[in-house]
Amino acid sequence: MGKENEMYILGIESSCDETSVSIVKNGTEEIATVIASQIDIHKVFGGVVPEIASRHHIKNITIVLEECLHKANMTMEEIDAIAITYGPGLIGSLLIGLEAAKTLAFIHNKPLIPVHHIAGHIYANSLVKELKFPLLAVVVSGGHTELIEMSNHYKFKKLGGTLDDAIGECYDKVARVIGLEYPGGPKIDKLATIGKKTYKLPVPLRDDSYNFSFSGLKSAVINLVHNEEQRGNKINKENLATSFQVVAIESITTKVKKAIIEKKIKNVIVAGGVAASQGLKEAMQQLANELNVELSIPPIKYCTDNATMIAAAGYYAYLDGRIADSTLNAKSQDKLI
Ligand code: KG4
Ligand code: ZN
């Protein structure tokens, strides 16, 4: 341990196409972060190619680690523990970060803390504001769309989730069908600010559960674009982006509203890459005002994949007694418990 009551955790994240290392003090204070993004590499393929992603993680991991320690002006001796994303994610990508973390923990004799990627996204919020319980975490990313109730730190209860595609995945596919580059989410979000809701699209899963469904909405957009093309009509991209985003966000806020009321929630946090959406931010703020609940949404740099959130979550995981040994394995799928 560093000074009394000071815990410096080095976090590593490599679950998808970002290689990232970060040092965070006491789960709340970012000391230094380095992110090597592979977006430009995968763009030409229209999405992340797992084998290529793992190869780049191998190339980047040592450089990113050294750069982070240099940026923080710290040595491994001053680090108290290593937090690692063990899953869920792309297995080949996860393994690179995991092996690096295990090696560091072994050589420097530091505790190894296993962090679930979604716990990381949730704890991105603790870098901005103290988490207050009970809270509702609205997890919206490229791989997840879930409503998680938390009664305390590291006490997660899943209320519901997507039955098929994740919302970010749906944003990316809609973007692709109208010719926008990967990742399409931010581009759709931007177009939606200037478009109008002119295209009629089905609101997914209007039921009494806390679940979501995005594959029907995705198919509806794809069919609409193909039909218009066959008729020789030009698609108005801005209006399609707005029409899609309004429906996608409405399906989130409807279920969030139900959870706030039924579970008597007072604090809501939004987590994951799609939390960067201006459209979602505005809709969530409106809902929070209407129901008089506190809302926290991390700044964009903490929304998309990064190791800062992993180091922050690692602190609370450590306090919860979650320490792993060298048998820790990567898991492409794993429940948040
Ligand atoms: O959390 P994240 O970086 O990776 C996963 O763990 O999945 O989320 C990436 C997703 C992508 O689908 C991307 O298109 C979406 O987040 N995204 C956005 C925005 N920024 C990123 N979606 C809508 N609006 C944005 N501004
Ligand atoms: Zn993520």
Side-chain angles (χ1 to χ4, degrees):
M1 231 327 161
K3 284 186 207 142
E4 217 178 320
N5 299 329
E6 283 188 0
M7 187 170 191
Y8 290 90
I9 296 191
L10 182 137
I12 301 180
E13 156 65 39
S14 71
S15 66
C16 192
D17 59 343
E18 265 91 27
T19 322
S20 180
V21 176
S22 177
I23 299 167
V24 171
K25 183 177 151 189
N26 294 349
T28 52
E29 194 185 320
E30 179 183 8
I31 306 296
T33 300
V34 176
I35 305 177
S37 171
Q38 304 178 14
I39 282 183
D40 287 341
I41 295 157
H42 297 281
K43 215 151 65 175
V44 285
F45 304 105
V48 178
V49 183
E51 177 64 22
I52 296 176
S54 351
R55 284 168 195 241
H56 279 87
H57 284 307
I58 295 178
K59 271 197 348 209
N60 293 341
I61 189 77
T62 320
I63 302 166
V64 171
L65 172 68
E66 282 176 357
E67 207 178 310
C68 181
L69 284 166
H70 179 75
K71 213 168 155 185
N73 196 19
M74 289 177 83
T75 64
M76 277 308 295
E77 280 60 52
E78 292 166 283
I79 300 295
D80 298 302
I82 319 284
I84 176 66
T85 310
Y86 69 92
L90 302 172
I91 197 75
S93 294
L94 287 163
L95 280 168
I96 312 303
L98 182 67
E99 286 311 314
K102 281 193 201 177
T103 310
L104 282 174
F106 177 71
I107 295 175
H108 299 282
N109 196 21
K110 309 282 179 192
L112 180 67
I113 309 167
V115 175
H116 190 285
H117 185 75
I118 295 306
H121 275 303
I122 291 173
Y123 275 94
N125 283 280
S126 79
L127 293 151
V128 195
K129 234 188 209 177
E130 194 188 330
L131 301 191
K132 289 188 207 147
F133 305 98
L135 74 70
L136 178 74
V138 182
V139 181
V140 280
S141 76
H144 295 262
T145 311
E146 289 174 12
L147 293 184
I148 313 272
E149 190 183 6
M150 288 176 77
S151 54
N152 208 331
H153 278 298
Y154 252 81
K155 301 286 172 275
F156 308 106
K157 184 180 168 204
K158 181 174 164 180
L159 298 179
T162 182
L163 303 174
D164 39 60
D165 294 354
I167 183 168
E169 194 181 343
C170 191
Y171 262 93
D172 294 338
K173 295 229 172 96
V174 165
R176 196 171 166 172
V177 78
I178 56 170
L180 303 173
E181 273 180 341
Y182 171 83
K187 295 169 189 97
I188 293 276
D189 185 39
K190 207 166 167 202
L191 283 183
T193 59
I194 46 174
K196 289 196 183 73
K197 189 176 180 277
T198 54
Y199 294 102
K200 202 166 163 21
L201 293 165
V203 177
L205 211 64
R206 288 176 186 268
D207 68 354
D208 203 31
S209 74
Y210 289 120
N211 292 327
F212 306 97
S213 167
F214 289 102
S215 74
L217 176 60
K218 175 190 73 186
S219 304
V221 174
I222 295 172
N223 290 340
L224 189 148
V225 172
H226 288 168
N227 287 341
E228 291 296 299
E229 275 170 2
Q230 271 167 5
R231 289 195 195 110
N233 296 337
K234 215 170 165 281
I235 284 284
N236 181 312
K237 292 183 183 180
E238 294 85 32
N239 289 352
L240 184 63
T242 309
S243 307
F244 160 73
Q245 176 152 288
V246 166
V247 170
I249 290 176
E250 195 183 306
S251 90
I252 300 284
T253 50
T254 306
K255 300 290 169 93
V256 170
K257 184 171 182 175
K258 177 178 151 68
I260 293 173
I261 295 169
E262 288 179 3
K263 303 286 173 186
K264 300 187 172 49
I265 298 289
K266 283 272 158 237
N267 298 289
V268 179
I269 62 168
V270 188
V274 184
S277 154
Q278 195 52 39
L280 181 64
K281 268 184 213 166
E282 284 165 15
M284 286 298 300
Q285 193 55 61
Q286 210 175 338
L287 185 63
N289 295 347
E290 179 193 327
L291 300 179
N292 194 24
V293 295
E294 213 175 294
L295 174 71
S296 165
I297 302 179
I300 289 184
K301 66 173 178 169
Y302 295 144
C303 287
T304 45
D305 289 351
N306 64 85
T308 330
M309 65 184 197
I310 302 302
Y315 176 75
Y316 295 98
Y318 179 83
L319 295 183
D320 195 53
R322 300 181 185 225
I323 309 288
D325 62 22
S326 61
T327 59
L328 178 67
N329 210 346
K331 287 190 179 162
S332 60
Q333 301 211 357
D334 193 38
K335 273 198 202 152
L336 175 61
I337 42 172

